[in-house]
C-alpha cells in the first residue's frame, strides 16, 4: 500500500511545483546608464526576486545612445518593458493625453506615493494620470568659485540688481572675468525664472498648447537677457562661440577659474567643480534671489528621470511592486544608493543620510535642498525642453549678441516661430 502512495505523492508534488513555476509572473525592466548603475540595479533586482519569489525579472539595460529610439519602436509595437526608466521630457512624445503609460495612481496601494513631494508628482502627471514616479528631482542653482569672488572683492549677489552690479564690478577689474558662465539653455532658464517672478505665470499653457506671454512680455523676456549680457554678468554667445563647439566646463577660462560660477542643475555641479584647477577648484552654493513681491521663484524643476509602467503590461501590480522596492524598500534603497541621484523618496533620503551615503554639505545635496525650500508652485512645461524651441532661442540670442536683431525685433519674430514649433509638438 505504501509503495503505491509514494509515487502518487511524488507525482502530486511535482505537478504542484510545475504549476507554481508556471504561475510565476515574469516582468521586464529597462534602463540606461553606466556600469556602476547597471551593477547596482542588478543587485537590487536580485534582492527583489528573493523577497518576491513568485515574480521573475528580466533586465534590459544599455548606455544612453539608442535607448530612446529602441523604446520608441517597442512602444509602437506594444512590446515595451513592464517597468521603464524614462525621461521627463518624453511625456509629450509618448503620452500627450496621459494614456501613453500606465497610471501609477491606480497602484497607490502598492507604491508608497506619500514619500513624494506633491509638486514633483504633478510634474509627471498628465490629465490626472501619474505617468512616472520621479526618482530624483533637479533644479538650477547658483554655484560660485569662492576663490575668484574673493579676489574680485565682490560679495555673492542677493538680488537681480546686485547680480548686474557684480558683472560691472568684474568688468571694471578684468574684462576677461565674469561672475557666471551660461550656455544657451542655462540663460533660457535664468530668463524664465525672472519672467515667472515678474508676472507669476507659466510660459506655456499646456491645456491650450500656446504661449501665455503678451507682446510686451515677450519684449521683457529678451530685454532681461540683453541687460544681463550688457552688464557683463556672463559671456555673450559671441564670446562663447569663439572657444569652439565644446561644453562650457571644458573651456579654458572655466578651467582656469576666470569665470566665477554657473547657474546649473544641482546634479551637474560636481562635474563643473571637478574640471577646475587649483587654486580655483572649489565651488560653493550661492543664494537664490527673487524680485520684490514675487510669489514664485520660477525654478526649472524637473525629475532627473522616472520609472514608468508600460501601458501594454500584463502585470501592473507586479511592476508596481518592483518600482516600490527600488525606490522605497530598505534593501532596494541601499542597493541603488545614489546611482540615479539624491532620491526624492523621504524614506530613502532618511535611510541614506543615516547610513552616511548622503552628505549634507555636498553641493549637490545642498543645492536641491535649498531649491525645494523656495516657492515653486508654477511648473515648467516639458515642451520648454523641446529641442527645436531651444535651438530657436539659441539662434535668436546669437543674433542679438551679434547686433543682427534688436530686442523689439526678437520679441516680434520669436513668438511666431516658437508658436509654430509648439503647435506641431502639441498635436
Amino acid at each position: 500500500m505504501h509503495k503505491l502512495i509514494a509515487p502518487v505523492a511524488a507525482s502530486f508534488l511535482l505537478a504542484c511545483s510545475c504549476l507554481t513555476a508556471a504561475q510565476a509572473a515574469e516582468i521586464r525592466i529597462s534602463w540606461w546608464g553606466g556600469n556602476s548603475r547597471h551593477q547596482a540595479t542588478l543587485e537590487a533586482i536580485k534582492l527583489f526576486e528573493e523577497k518576491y519569489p513568485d515574480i521573475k525579472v528580466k533586465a534590459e539595460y544599455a548606455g544612453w545612445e539608442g535607448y530612446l529610439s529602441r523604446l520608441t519602436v517597442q512602444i509602437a509595437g506594444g512590446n515595451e518593458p513592464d517597468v521603464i526608466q524614462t525621461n521627463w521630457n518624453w511625456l509629450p512624445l509618448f503620452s500627450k493625453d496621459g494614456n501613453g503609460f500606465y497610471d501609477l495612481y491606480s497602484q497607490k496601494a502598492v507604491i508608497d506615493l506619500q514619500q513624494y513631494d506633491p509638486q514633483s508628482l504633478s510634474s509627471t502627471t498628465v490629465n490626472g494620470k501619474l505617468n512616472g514616479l520621479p526618482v530624483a528631482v533637479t533644479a538650477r542653482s547658483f554655484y560660485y568659485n569662492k576663490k575668484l569672488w574673493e579676489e574680485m572683492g565682490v560679495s555673492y549677489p542677493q538680488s537681480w540688481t546686485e547680480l548686474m552690479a557684480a558683472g560691472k564690478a568684474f568688468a571694471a577689474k578684468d574684462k576677461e572675468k565674469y561672475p557666471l558662465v551660461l550656455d544657451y539653455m542655462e540663460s533660457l532658464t535664468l530668463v524664465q525664472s525672472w519672467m515667472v517672478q515678474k508676472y507669476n505665470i507659466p510660459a506655456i499653457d499646456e491645456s491650450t498648447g500656446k504661449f501665455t506671454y503678451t507682446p510686451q512680455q515677450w519684449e521683457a523676456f529678451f530685454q532681461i537677457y540683453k541687460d544681463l549680457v550688457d552688464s557683463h554678468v556672463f559671456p555673450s554667445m559671441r564670446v562663447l562661440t569663439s572657444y569652439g563647439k565644446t561644453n562650457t566646463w571644458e573651456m579654458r577660462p572655466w578651467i582656469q577659474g576666470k569665470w566665477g560660477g554657473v547657474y546649473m542643475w544641482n546634479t551637474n555641479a560636481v562635474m563643473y567643480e571637478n574640471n577646475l584647477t587649483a587654486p580655483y577648484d572649489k565651488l560653493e552654493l550661492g543664494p537664490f534671489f527673487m524680485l520684490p513681491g514675487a510669489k514664485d521663484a520660477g525654478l526649472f524643476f524637473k525629475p532627473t528621470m522616472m520609472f514608468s509602467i508600460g501601458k501594454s503590461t500584463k502585470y501592473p501590480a507586479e511592476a508596481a511592486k518592483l518600482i516600490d522596492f527600488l525606490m522605497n524598500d530598505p534593501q532596494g534603497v541601499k542597493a541603488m544608493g545614489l546611482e540615479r541621484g539624491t532620491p526624492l523618496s523621504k524614506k530613502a533620503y532618511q535611510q541614506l543620510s543615516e547610513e552616511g551615503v548622503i552628505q549634507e554639505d555636498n553641493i549637490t545635496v545642498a543645492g536641491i535642498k535649498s531649491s525645494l525650500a523656495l516657492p515653486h508652485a508654477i511648473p515648467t512645461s516639458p515642451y520648454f525642453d523641446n529641442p527645436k524651441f531651444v535651438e530657436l532661442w539659441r539662434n535668436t540670442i546669437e543674433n542679438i549678441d551679434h547686433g543682427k536683431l534688436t530686442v523689439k525685433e526678437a520679441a516680434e519674430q520669436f513668438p511666431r516661430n516658437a508658436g509654430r514649433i509648439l503647435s506641431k509638438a502639441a498635436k
Side-chain angles (χ1 to χ4, degrees), residues 168-186:
K168 293 171 183 176
F170 269 62
K173 286 201 170 188
D174 188 336
K175 289 189 176 179
E176 290 187 357
K177 295 177 180 176
Y178 293 81
L180 296 168
V181 59
L182 279 69
D183 71 12
Y184 56 95
M185 190 64 200
E186 289 142 26

Side-chain angles (χ1 to χ4, degrees), residues 219 222-223 405-413:
E219 193 164 336
F222 286 101
Q223 187 63 57
L405 275 180
T406 65
V407 165
K408 190 172 183 61
E409 289 169 339
E412 291 171 351
Q413 293 180 20

Side-chain angles (χ1 to χ4, degrees), residues 1-11:
M1 187 72 173
H2 292 295
K3 291 181 180 180
L4 288 173
I5 292 174
V8 171
S11 299

Side-chain angles (χ1 to χ4, degrees), residues 134-421:
V135 178
V137 291
T138 186
R140 293 186 187 272
S141 298
F142 292 104
Y143 297 94
Y144 294 123
N145 191 312
K146 183 178 180 181
K147 175 71 172 173
L148 179 61
W149 281 77
E150 288 175 348
E151 288 182 357
M152 301 304 285
V154 181
S155 299
Y156 297 153
Q158 301 280 348
S159 69
W160 291 93
T161 301
E162 288 185 13
L163 177 62
M164 294 192 197
K168 293 171 183 176
F170 269 62
K173 286 201 170 188
D174 188 336
K175 289 189 176 179
E176 290 187 357
K177 295 177 180 176
Y178 293 81
L180 296 168
V181 59
L182 279 69
D183 71 12
Y184 56 95
M185 190 64 200
E186 289 142 26
S187 65
L188 173 60
T189 54
L190 184 61
V191 167
Q192 171 63 7
S193 290
W194 186 91
M195 291 292 290
V196 170
Q197 292 179 22
K198 179 73 173 176
Y199 299 107
N200 202 45
I201 56 173
I204 297 171
D205 182 346
E206 290 194 36
S207 65
T208 62
K210 294 182 180 180
F211 288 95
T212 61
Y213 296 157
T214 65
Q216 293 76 21
Q217 288 168 342
W218 277 117
E219 193 164 336
F221 184 80
F222 286 101
Q223 187 63 57
I224 188 61
Y225 169 81
K226 192 170 191 310
D227 288 347
L228 290 165
V229 171
D230 290 349
S231 297
H232 199 79
V233 172
F234 51 83
S236 68
M237 291 300 296
R238 186 173 188 174
V239 173
L240 288 183
T241 53
S242 70
Y243 292 97
K245 293 182 178 180
T246 187
N247 299 304
T248 50
W249 69 84
E250 296 173 317
M251 293 180 180
R252 188 173 65 255
W254 173 258
I255 295 170
Q256 295 174 343
K258 292 184 177 181
W259 293 339
V262 288
Y263 182 60
M264 178 46 56
W265 303 118
N266 70 297
T267 47
N268 289 350
V270 172
M271 176 181 69
Y272 273 80
E273 185 178 65
N274 289 342
N275 246 25
L276 292 168
T277 53
Y280 304 98
D281 54 353
K282 179 68 176 176
L283 293 182
E284 65 180 11
L285 180 69
F288 191 91
F289 37 81
M290 294 169 60
L291 289 170
K295 298 178 181 178
D296 196 287
L299 295 173
F300 193 158
F301 260 108
K302 70 173 184 177
T304 54
M305 61 189 69
M306 311 177 295
F307 276 123
S308 301
I309 294 180
K311 68 175 182 179
S312 305
T313 184
K314 296 178 181 177
Y315 301 105
E318 290 81 359
K321 282 183 180 179
L322 177 57
I323 291 177
D324 189 70
F325 182 86
L326 297 176
M327 296 294 94
N328 297 314
D329 186 280
Q331 285 186 294
V333 168
K334 185 171 184 177
M336 296 279 271
L338 299 179
E339 282 300 328
R340 287 175 172 82
T342 305
L344 186 60
S345 165
K346 297 170 191 173
K347 190 187 293 183
Y349 188 97
Q350 181 179 351
Q351 176 184 332
L352 294 179
S353 295
E354 291 172 353
E355 293 173 353
V357 177
I358 293 176
Q359 301 291 331
E360 295 295 328
D361 59 351
N362 178 280
I363 57 174
T364 298
V365 177
I368 195 60
K369 284 190 73 175
S370 70
S371 296
L372 285 168
L374 293 165
H376 55 279
I378 297 178
T380 303
S381 169
Y383 290 111
F384 214 72
D385 245 359
N386 182 287
K388 291 183 179 178
F389 173 74
V390 173
E391 186 62 25
L392 177 63
W393 163 259
R394 176 178 182 167
N395 292 337
T396 303
I397 61 173
E398 280 185 347
N399 284 330
I400 291 174
D401 290 342
H402 283 84
K404 296 179 181 179
L405 275 180
T406 65
V407 165
K408 190 172 183 61
E409 289 169 339
E412 291 171 351
Q413 293 180 20
F414 185 87
R416 292 197 298 269
N417 295 325
R420 284 194 287 267
I421 292 170

